[in-house]
Amino acid sequence: SQQGEEDPQALSIQEGENATMNCSYKTSINNLQWYRQNSGRGLVHLILIRSNEREKHSGRLRVTLDTSKKSSSLLITASRAADTASYFCATAPDNYGQNFVFGPGTRLSVLP
Amino acid sequence: EAQVTQNPRYLITVTGKKLTVTCSQNMNHEYMSWYRQDPGLGLRQIYYSMNVEVTDKGDVPEGYKVSRKEKRNFPLILESPSPNQTSLYFCASSLLWGFNEQFFGPGTRLTVL
């Protein structure tokens, strides 16, 4: 099965700075999704980018997708302490009915 | 309120004692899924269901069973739990497979002694 992998595994920044996380995957996808998880809680969907899209924005979030490199990045601008969480990418394969694959996540710490 | 609910939220049990974790969604979603989350491994899909009476294995189905007799419910069954099934479990649902975001339940923390 394909593997989503985030990079870096952990990131520590100051409030107000931008945070960039990367995700790589191995096979063709229908779309790629980013989720956030606060410690031990359920995941919350952030943004979905389809394979025919290259960039998408939602508030302070910017996601890019490069299908030729099989990679995506999530940029959080002007970070806040409340952005402290783990961030996961998940890939939906382009073959109907195959399973989703989540990466191991990036642990983001935003220091006040 | 649109939501995915799981019960129980916490469970400590012993090896071999059958258990069921329930999952229910009130959004009329067709797709439902179970994941387990372990440190350093992210989320791994156990089983998923494209619709009623349609289920399929994910990446780590061994030791688990599921059923989808009605659209809103997708219980996860551990017939004979073992310590390596100690994990944090999440149920999720989405309107359709693959095209929409998934909504996650709050998680069930299972410890098998």
Side-chain angles (χ1 to χ4, degrees), chain B residues 11 15 19 21 45-46 75 96 108:
Chain B
L11 180 60
T15 298
L19 67 92
V21 184
Q45 196 165 31
I46 303 170
L96 296 170
T108 295

Side-chain angles (χ1 to χ4, degrees), chain A:
Chain A
S1 60
Q2 58 188 346
Q3 295 283 325
E5 302 225 350
E6 288 92 348
D7 164 48
Q9 291 186 338
L11 181 61
S12 187
I13 59 174
Q14 296 292 134
E15 231 175 359
E17 293 181 340
N18 296 341
T20 299
M21 289 158 266
N22 302 299
C23 170
S24 62
Y25 57 93
K26 294 182 179 177
T27 61
S28 298
I29 61 171
N30 175 286
N31 64 74
L32 186 144
Q33 305 173 20
W34 284 92
Y35 290 82
R36 185 181 86 178
Q37 183 184 34
N38 289 90
S39 184
R41 299 195 165 198
L43 279 72
V44 174
H45 177 260
L46 295 176
I47 198 163
L48 181 154
I49 185 165
R50 304 197 187 280
S51 60
N52 61 352
E53 297 176 311
R54 292 297 167 257
E55 188 171 312
K56 205 161 184 181
H57 297 256
S58 177
R60 293 183 297 112
L61 306 179
R62 172 178 170 255
V63 168
T64 62
L65 179 65
D66 187 335
T67 52
S68 66
K69 294 181 180 177
K70 292 186 169 55
S71 67
S72 173
S73 67
L74 170 67
L75 169 67
I76 303 174
T77 59
S79 63
R80 306 165 182 168
D83 294 328
T84 294
S86 292
Y87 292 82
F88 297 89
C89 69
T91 50
D94 63 358
N95 289 328
Y96 183 76
Q98 289 191 6
N99 55 306
F100 282 86
V101 177
F102 279 79
T106 293
R107 174 72 189 164
L108 174 66
S109 297
V110 181
L111 307 174

Side-chain angles (χ1 to χ4, degrees), chain B residues 28-102:
Chain B
N28 202 35
H29 285 172
E30 289 192 357
Y31 182 87
M32 296 187 75
S33 180
W34 276 102
Y35 297 89
R36 60 177 288 174
Q37 184 177 31
D38 302 289
L41 296 177
L43 276 83
R44 293 178 292 169
Q45 196 165 31
I46 303 170
Y47 268 96
Y48 58 97
S49 171
M50 308 288 278
N51 212 327
V52 176
E53 301 292 359
V54 181
T55 63
D56 213 339
K57 296 177 181 178
D59 287 326
V60 288
E62 294 77 22
Y64 304 95
K65 285 176 58 177
V66 293
S67 67
R68 188 93 181 273
K69 292 185 171 62
E70 46 190 343
K71 203 170 191 177
R72 64 183 294 127
N73 296 324
F74 191 45
L76 179 70
I77 303 157
L78 284 72
E79 294 269 3
S80 182
S82 62
N84 65 12
Q85 292 178 299
T86 292
S87 189
L88 179 58
Y89 290 87
F90 289 102
C91 179
S93 73
S94 69
L95 184 61
L96 296 170
W97 171 90
F99 302 108
N100 312 96
E101 68 268 33
Q102 294 185 68

